[in-house]
Amino acid sequence: MSCSYSPKLFFFLLLHLFLASTEPIPSLPNVEKLSFHEGYTQIFGDSNLMLHHEGKKVHISLNERTGSGFRSQESYLYGFFSASIKLPSDYTAGVVVAFYMSNGDVYEKTHDELDFEFLGNVRGRDWRVQTNVYGNGSTSIGREERYGLWFDPTEDFHQYSILWTYDTIIFYVDDIPIREVKRVSSRDVYFPLKPMSLYATIWDGSTWATSGGRYKVNYKYAPFIAEFTDLVLHSCATHHALACASASVLSPEQRLAMESFRRRYMTYGYCYDRIRYAVPLAECNVGPEKELFLMSGESRAYERRHRMKRRPWRGTADPGF
């Protein structure tokens, strides 16, 4: 009997073994889930933000009138920030749901930012997840990465988290580290080093979010509702700094899970974009794996899967990403 190798099956098996053998990541003391009133405030959208279950669940929505959003009441210099999120389903082209850290309201020209951005799509096509890091106003130097997911983020809640310490940033999806950013040196001006607030928003990104703006928000499908729960704001202040620093050191199992995820699900990496950056940025350690990516930074493997997936849609509406 022959046996064929499936990278997707391998990832699922690795994921199962990983979750069965480790504690939730990161393992930090005194991490508490907050209600909306305990840590957050609405920033726009009036009735498009609704609270449920005594403020433990938050719905933010986008309709033709407005989007909506909220932010933390306090700002933080380093910490662990997390939420379980369920994204809108059906046709969501042009819709952007963002879960991010920023201090742009305080440092207009030198702001820092850590982003999870969820980019909607046409019916039958998957949401895409984008992460980005800005430091000291470096918005002209994009450090984007984009990924697919191994699940449908519209069917149930999934946890998205950011761990930020003085020299490391780690993005997590369901306790799996998907991206690690290290401070290059003490003189690295592009690493975020100023206090930031946490934000969650939903808005119309028709000009760029889906196929570079080809597909716009269609408000006949509105309202688009993103649901948030299990909200965590955990400061890595002085008395928690050691625990946060320890949690930012990935174990061999964590690193294996991250590398497996990135091989399978990363669809774009700025370090491999030789059109934007003829010389890779200082933090990029580019090796032979660059051959897995096109000049544009797009994954070759993703392009092949993408073309195969698109075939049934040829000649029909909503061709998508």
Side-chain angles (χ1 to χ4, degrees), residues 48 59-64 66-68 86-97 120-121 127 201-204 206 216-227:
N48 281 18
H59 289 187
I60 56 175
S61 63
L62 167 69
N63 57 25
E64 199 163 7
T66 184
S68 52
K86 184 179 180 183
L87 298 174
S89 60
D90 202 10
Y91 184 101
T92 55
V95 176
V96 178
V97 176
N121 217 328
W127 281 79
T201 58
I202 184 169
W203 45 282
D204 186 328
S206 290
K216 316 293 185 184
V217 174
N218 188 335
Y219 284 102
K220 79 176 184 179
Y221 297 102
F224 304 97
I225 301 173
E227 304 175 48

Side-chain angles (χ1 to χ4, degrees), residues 155-194:
E155 290 185 345
D156 204 351
F157 287 91
H158 291 271
Q159 185 182 24
Y160 305 90
S161 310
I162 300 170
L163 176 63
W164 171 39
T165 73
Y166 71 97
D167 66 354
T168 303
I169 300 160
I170 303 175
F171 294 86
Y172 299 86
V173 176
D174 281 348
D175 293 337
I176 301 298
I178 67 166
R179 180 178 182 181
E180 178 187 40
V181 179
K182 303 292 289 186
R183 189 176 177 186
V184 175
S185 71
S186 60
R187 294 175 292 179
D188 183 356
V189 297
Y190 299 121
F191 191 90
L193 294 172
K194 299 186 291 293

Side-chain angles (χ1 to χ4, degrees), residues 16 39 46 96-97 99 102 167 187 199 209-210 216 232 281 307 311:
H16 175 76
D46 48 74
V96 178
V97 176
F99 179 69
S102 178
D167 66 354
R187 294 175 292 179
Y199 291 80
T210 307
K216 316 293 185 184
V232 173
L281 300 182
R307 287 195 296 269
R311 287 174 186 168

